[in-house]
Amino acid sequence: MSVRERYPRLPKAVEFAHIGWDFFILALVVINLGLLIFDSLFLLNPINQSIANIAPGFHAFYDDTIHSRFFRIDLIFVGFFVADVLLGWLAAIIERRYHRWFFYPFVHWYDVLGCIPLAGFRWLRILRVFSLINRLHRLGMINVTRWSAYQFVAKYYDILLEELSDRIALRLLGNVQQQIQANDSFTERVVERVVMPHKAQLIHEITQRLEETVGKSYQRNRADIMAYISELVGRTLRESPEIQRLRRLPLGQPAASAMEASLSGVAQRLVDELALGIHSEEFRQLVERTADSGFETWLTVDEGSHRVTEQVLYDILEMIKEQVNRQRWKDRYE
């Protein structure tokens, strides 16, 4: 997102001043960190002597002009950093960036603490570099995702995060497997504490799914079912000895054919009525009563079913562990 897209009403002069200030603060941070590093090294006697031997003029200039006044020089940088914090806080209030106006210093704690001119806090200013780079990235001025350093760090961060999460997941799944194997009443507790409290909802769900499944299946296969009924009725009548004797009588063949057509029609209408009755309230109540009467019997576990259920759960967790243990990052980076 560019600056213009982020702040559509921002005047161009203010826009350029905003961008220029960010780059100015970034340059100040880099210079200040460079001075901090060099002054820290300057305090080490071997390095101090080496600089004095190699460049005595520079050593004298730095020692008299900068090192002796380093605290005051650092306060100049601190002044700009404090101004940046205050301006950022003001901008956050105007834009209503956070839920409360006083959240800014807590969110940007590293900027606030980095303004303290003490050795322990000065090194927090390096975090300001990343904060400014992230700000410029969000404004569309730079694209850090194309940087080789970013891609290198992101790659190994992704690998490290995946490996850590996989190890934690494997440990948790292993603990669950141990609990299943160690606890003889696991299945009973699952039935008592998980299944039984939802008994009414489960029975209703079973009834609804049965109704939908049978109804849709009948609609899709109605023609085949009707053809099968006609064939079944015709075959039954043809194999019946009484119908065979009827066919031998005068006018018996037309009577037998009419009987076959009539019985076939009755059977087809009966199946149609049965299919329509599936959606009735009476059928739903019948199925619910049937499911309710057999629900607890179905959930009753003996020693054999108890062990089978636990083994199934154990094997499912083992399969999940195999999937988690697969190093998917190799597929992405190889």
Side-chain angles (χ1 to χ4, degrees):
M1 181 181 293
S2 65
V3 179
R4 178 58 59 189
E5 291 172 341
R6 185 174 177 85
Y7 308 108
R9 299 181 180 177
L10 203 62
K12 276 197 171 183
V14 178
E15 174 185 333
F16 289 131
H18 185 274
I19 297 171
W21 176 260
D22 283 340
F23 278 108
F24 174 68
I25 293 296
L26 181 61
L28 283 181
V29 173
V30 172
I31 294 171
N32 183 245
L33 289 174
L35 281 175
L36 284 173
I37 294 172
F38 186 82
D39 196 71
S40 300
L41 296 175
F42 190 81
L43 294 174
L44 301 176
N45 190 57
I47 297 179
N48 189 296
Q49 290 298 323
S50 299
I51 296 175
N53 295 332
I54 297 173
F58 172 78
H59 180 275
F61 168 78
Y62 184 85
D63 191 23
D64 296 336
T65 307
I66 298 178
H67 180 68
S68 59
R69 301 183 179 90
F70 188 82
F71 184 78
R72 281 177 285 178
I73 294 173
D74 188 62
L75 286 179
I76 298 174
F77 288 96
V78 169
F80 285 104
F81 297 153
V82 171
D84 181 60
V85 170
L86 294 178
L87 289 174
W89 194 350
L90 178 63
I93 294 174
I94 295 174
E95 298 168 13
R96 300 181 182 228
R97 199 180 305 164
Y98 304 109
H99 185 62
R100 290 287 185 271
W101 65 272
F102 53 84
F103 279 14
Y104 182 87
F106 297 100
V107 176
H108 299 267
W109 57 269
Y110 44 86
D111 288 346
V112 176
L113 295 180
C115 293
I116 300 176
L118 297 177
F121 295 103
R122 286 170 178 165
W123 293 108
L124 290 174
R125 295 171 192 174
I126 193 171
L127 298 178
R128 185 185 289 267
V129 175
F130 297 104
S131 174
L132 290 169
I133 290 176
N134 180 58
R135 189 191 306 177
L136 294 172
H137 175 75
R138 286 189 290 105
L139 294 176
M141 299 301 301
I142 58 175
N143 188 358
V144 298
T145 59
R146 296 181 180 178
W147 295 0
S148 300
Y150 174 86
Q151 294 174 357
F152 177 83
V153 173
K155 172 184 175 179
Y156 288 99
Y157 174 78
D158 186 37
I159 293 173
L160 177 63
L161 196 63
E162 182 176 325
E163 289 293 331
L164 288 175
S165 62
D166 286 352
R167 300 289 80 76
I168 295 172
L170 289 173
R171 176 64 63 86
L172 291 175
L173 292 171
N175 290 338
V176 174
Q177 287 179 314
Q178 292 176 2
Q179 291 295 324
I180 291 175
Q181 288 184 323
N183 200 324
D184 295 335
S185 61
F186 180 79
T187 305
E188 288 85 348
R189 288 191 295 112
V190 169
V191 172
E192 179 183 351
R193 298 173 59 180
V194 178
V195 179
M196 292 305 295
H198 302 283
K199 176 182 175 181
Q201 294 93 324
L202 289 171
I203 291 176
H204 179 73
E205 182 71 16
I206 292 171
T207 304
Q208 187 176 7
R209 288 183 178 273
L210 179 62
E211 178 182 334
E212 293 178 357
T213 302
V214 174
K216 291 179 180 179
S217 178
Y218 179 74
Q219 292 296 329
R220 288 195 300 265
N221 302 284
R222 185 179 183 280
D224 295 335
I225 293 173
M226 293 305 172
Y228 175 76
I229 292 174
S230 298
E231 175 62 24
L232 179 63
V233 172
R235 187 172 68 251
T236 302
L237 293 178
R238 286 193 299 271
E239 295 175 355
S240 173
E242 291 79 7
I243 298 299
Q244 291 177 2
R245 286 194 295 270
L246 178 63
R247 291 180 185 276
R248 298 191 190 99
L249 297 175
L251 302 178
Q253 183 66 29
S257 298
M259 183 181 296
E260 179 181 342
S262 178
L263 291 175
S264 178
V266 170
Q268 291 177 353
R269 285 195 298 274
L270 180 62
V271 173
D272 270 335
E273 290 294 330
L274 180 62
L276 292 174
I278 289 175
H279 302 283
S280 66
E281 184 64 28
E282 293 79 5
F283 179 83
R284 187 177 297 109
Q285 292 178 359
L286 174 63
V287 175
E288 288 183 354
R289 287 196 299 270
T290 304
D292 182 66
S293 62
F295 193 79
E296 294 187 11
T297 304
W298 175 64
L299 292 177
T300 302
V301 292
D302 53 20
E303 184 63 24
S305 61
H306 168 75
R307 292 301 177 188
V308 169
T309 303
E310 292 186 354
Q311 186 62 41
V312 169
L313 291 174
Y314 185 91
D315 291 342
I316 290 174
L317 293 174
E318 191 65 29
M319 184 182 67
I320 296 175
K321 286 173 62 178
E322 292 178 0
Q323 185 67 23
V324 171
N325 199 35
R326 179 171 170 265
Q327 295 175 317
R328 293 179 296 276
W329 58 266
K330 290 184 177 179
D331 298 332
R332 295 194 298 272
Y333 298 113
E334 290 186 357

